[in-house]
Amino acid sequence: MEYIRINTPDPRRVFINGRLSGSTNALIRVEPGTHTIVLGNPEEDAPDPAAEERRAVVRGTTVDRPLVVDFE
Amino acid sequence: MRTALQAAIAIAFAAVGACAHYPATPGLLEYAPSVGYRFANTPPTSANSDSLMVILTFSGGGTRAAALSTGVLRELDRTAVPGEPGRTLLDEVDIISSVSGGSFTAAYFALHGREGLDRFETEFLDWNAQAALKRDLLAPMRIIRLLSRNYSRIDHAAATWDQRLFGDATFGDLIGRRPLIIINAADMSLGATFSFTQEQFDPLCANLADFPLSRAVAASSAFPGLLSPLTLENHGDDCGFEAPGWVENALEDADIGGDRYRLARHLLTYRDTDVRPFVHLLDGGLADNIGLRPILRSLTSTSGDWSVLRMINNGQVRRVVVIVVNAKTDTRSNVDLREQPPGIKRVLQTVVSTPLGNYSRESVQRLREVSDDFLRELTATPSTALPEVHFHAIEVSFDGLDDVEERRYFETLPTSFRLPPDVVDQLTEVGGRLLREAEEFQALLAQF
């Protein structure tokens, strides 16, 4: 199990590889490897089409030492 | 004159037989990732919540496996959900992933529910299915059909299962109902699990909703040599399929996410209809004899149609129970009692069954590691940092029997579709007892 934390000023939904996979400012469990991260609005079930897209390689993390990605 | 007549009849029969063809694989008109036999289309109900996710896996092992898994279903039905009168753990079963013999129990239960359990015992467990297959093989129409190159023993088996057990039901008849079943066969070219899910059918542009349950069960139990492989047609580019988002990323991860990389590579092979216009399926036990691999994937990945991990992250699932029903045998037998080396049949049995047994052990070990990961989270983080989940991994196998003689008795039962009714009764009883007495099952009940 790998862990990632997406930080945003306000709470947002997190879509990983196109699927709703958690929320910002909290830990999210993922499998090891490359992931595409897009944010969504809090009540929406789909990613925000205008939102920035990030790719992150997640490996070697632990629950105490997650990969941290900051979005503005 | 008589000879000419006989020849004419033979030619007519051969001509009719040559026209026989296995049922066409239903095509998908338009790829729609939210339509079809998928977990998302089996919503939670007042009787079956998402917060408690109960997952069962049923191994291969012929009637022995089917009976053992039936005993587990019955025990779940005897176990009330604490604090919720009138509901049993059987109501909470969300997913059953099955292989070979276990697929008969899974498919029949998914189709008929708890009311079907008694009937399953008389219609399947106490039935001499092997004799029925042989008898049906002698029916004139079946003989004629089997003359065709496009109609084989596996199609004959599926027809027999339909007649006796499934009555032409398709996966479409199960949409909207829990548990979702994942019947697993093995893709002959890839040597990998092929699950009868819409997600697996999507790249083939095939529609699982119109696919008969009997054929999935037949493929899942198509043991090499006894039954021929089951053939699917690959409809390729006919439906506008687009590879899911995780595939592109996974292809860059050959050195990181082994499983994900392999799955992405496998998925793309179905897109090449020049190389794979057909897909041939064998007994699911050849790739994973306990049906645990699709479950492990769902527990450790946020990709895919059905991801328990995603549901945990989103706070939908608070407690996960995985019960692995493993009817494995101990095939050491008595070869070492003799000086002469074992014959070819015995050697082939060992070649097939030994790696599978080792792989099953590794899968169960992996499940325990996943369980440990979740346990570590509970102790390592403040509860607000991560949606909390409690995990219970339970294995029901003859290893759980303390009595050596009793264990030896069950471990040496044959793998066949014909067991005496008293042995079937013993197996259903021991299945229930092994679950009831499992330490982790008792821990689960104590924690509610």
Side-chain angles (χ1 to χ4, degrees):
Chain A
M1 200 89 75
E2 301 286 339
Y3 301 88
I4 187 168
R5 181 185 169 102
I6 317 294
N7 288 330
T8 55
D10 299 314
R12 305 284 299 273
R13 287 186 161 183
V14 177
F15 293 84
I16 296 179
N17 305 323
R19 304 270 193 176
L20 175 59
S21 301
S23 302
T24 58
N25 309 323
L27 287 182
I28 299 172
R29 305 165 181 92
V30 293
E31 68 188 310
T34 308
H35 299 282
T36 303
I37 302 157
V38 181
L39 301 184
N41 293 319
E43 301 304 321
E44 306 235 340
D45 285 335
D48 180 352
E52 180 190 355
E53 182 180 293
R54 297 265 186 97
R55 291 180 95 206
V57 179
V58 190
R59 69 192 299 189
T61 64
T62 64
V63 69
D64 298 317
R65 301 183 64 181
L67 177 73
V68 177
V69 179
D70 293 315
F71 275 73
E72 293 302 317
Chain B
M1 181 66 188
R2 195 170 159 194
T3 310
L5 184 63
Q6 282 172 336
I9 290 171
I11 290 168
F13 269 43
V16 173
C19 296
H21 200 283
Y22 59 86
T25 307
L28 196 62
L29 292 178
E30 191 180 353
Y31 167 60
S34 59
V35 176
Y37 190 59
R38 302 175 197 267
F39 189 72
N41 296 329
T42 61
T45 63
S46 57
N48 188 331
S49 65
D50 269 349
S51 60
L52 172 60
M53 178 67 58
V54 178
I55 300 164
L56 312 179
T57 79
F58 294 165
S59 77
T63 301
R64 186 185 69 248
L68 191 71
S69 52
T70 302
V72 166
L73 290 178
R74 287 198 176 282
E75 184 61 26
L76 290 171
D77 201 26
R78 283 191 287 266
T79 309
V81 179
E84 304 206 26
R87 282 204 314 127
T88 72
L89 279 178
L90 193 66
D91 294 310
E92 281 285 357
V93 176
D94 298 284
I95 296 279
I96 304 177
S97 173
S98 64
V99 178
S100 199
S103 292
F104 286 86
T105 315
Y108 199 89
F109 176 65
L111 188 62
H112 298 290
R114 66 155 53 78
E115 292 73 25
L117 286 177
D118 284 342
R119 233 171 33 243
F120 182 65
E121 292 202 31
T122 52
E123 287 196 355
F124 183 72
L125 297 180
D126 292 341
W127 180 46
N128 186 343
Q130 287 182 195
L133 275 181
K134 282 183 193 159
R135 195 175 51 243
D136 288 357
L137 202 58
L138 299 175
M141 278 312 290
R142 295 275 179 94
I143 294 174
I144 293 170
R145 284 181 184 160
L146 285 165
L147 294 172
S148 164
R149 290 174 61 190
N150 292 320
Y151 190 92
S152 57
R153 283 168 293 151
I154 194 74
D155 306 303
H156 159 68
T160 298
W161 306 149
D162 242 344
Q163 219 165 23
R164 174 85 176 186
L165 301 168
F166 302 115
D168 298 326
T170 66
F171 282 88
D173 294 315
L174 305 180
I175 291 177
R177 292 156 56 169
R178 288 195 190 183
L180 181 102
I181 50 167
I182 303 172
I183 293 178
N184 299 291
D187 182 321
M188 206 171 154
S189 295
L190 302 175
T193 293
F194 183 99
S195 301
F196 282 85
T197 62
Q198 186 54 51
E199 187 177 21
Q200 179 96 63
F201 267 45
D202 282 338
L204 280 72
C205 286
N207 186 3
L208 184 64
D210 292 335
F211 196 87
L213 282 177
S214 60
R215 291 186 66 73
V217 171
S220 180
S221 55
F223 195 77
L226 295 177
L227 291 170
S228 47
L230 183 127
T231 303
L232 297 179
E233 294 151 306
N234 186 353
H235 297 295
D237 295 326
D238 293 349
C239 67
F241 171 79
E242 287 173 22
W246 61 270
V247 173
E248 190 184 336
N249 286 332
L251 290 171
E252 295 180 16
D253 289 345
D255 59 336
I256 305 176
D259 235 22
R260 198 169 74 133
Y261 172 75
R262 185 179 54 84
L263 288 171
R265 291 280 305 268
H266 286 177
L267 184 147
L268 293 181
T269 67
Y270 298 116
R271 303 301 299 145
D272 192 343
T273 50
D274 289 335
V275 174
R276 305 198 70 188
F278 301 99
V279 176
H280 299 288
L281 304 177
L282 277 171
D283 191 312
L286 297 175
D288 166 17
N289 200 37
I290 54 176
L292 190 54
R293 288 284 156 166
I295 304 304
L296 285 171
R297 171 112 186 107
S298 176
L299 292 168
T300 57
S301 167
T302 55
S303 307
D305 241 15
W306 171 62
S307 161
V308 175
L309 190 62
R310 213 165 53 228
M311 295 174 80
I312 293 170
N313 282 340
N314 290 322
Q316 292 163 267
V317 173
R318 297 302 175 91
R319 191 179 294 278
V320 180
V321 181
V322 182
I323 302 173
V324 178
V325 185
N326 187 356
K328 69 188 171 91
T329 52
D330 184 343
T331 51
R332 280 172 298 167
S333 84
N334 53 2
V335 292
D336 293 336
L337 291 174
R338 296 181 195 150
E339 186 180 4
Q340 295 85 2
I344 186 70
K345 188 180 170 193
R346 182 73 214 165
V347 169
L348 285 176
Q349 267 176 350
T350 305
V351 166
V352 172
S353 63
T354 304
L356 287 176
N358 293 340
Y359 192 59
S360 297
R361 263 193 299 281
E362 267 185 26
S363 298
V364 172
Q365 182 54 35
R366 179 79 189 100
L367 179 68
R368 297 200 193 289
E369 287 166 9
V370 171
S371 177
D372 289 345
D373 281 347
F374 285 115
L375 188 63
R376 208 171 295 122
E377 287 177 1
L378 287 175
T379 54
T381 60
S383 58
T384 50
L386 201 59
E388 194 176 295
V389 64
H390 297 268
F391 198 95
H392 305 270
I394 302 161
E395 187 184 11
V396 170
S397 80
F398 305 128
D399 285 341
L401 293 170
D402 292 332
D403 185 313
V404 176
E405 276 186 27
E406 187 183 26
R407 186 167 69 232
R408 189 75 190 139
Y409 168 74
F410 284 113
E411 281 181 338
T412 51
L413 286 175
T415 297
S416 77
F417 286 119
R418 178 193 56 186
L419 286 177
D422 58 324
V423 176
V424 167
D425 290 345
Q426 290 166 353
L427 282 160
T428 52
E429 187 279 327
V430 83
R433 174 157 46 103
L434 283 164
L435 177 61
R436 194 165 57 246
E437 293 177 354
E439 208 172 293
E440 192 57 34
F441 188 65
Q442 292 174 5
L444 161 73
L445 297 179
Q447 277 187 28
F448 266 110

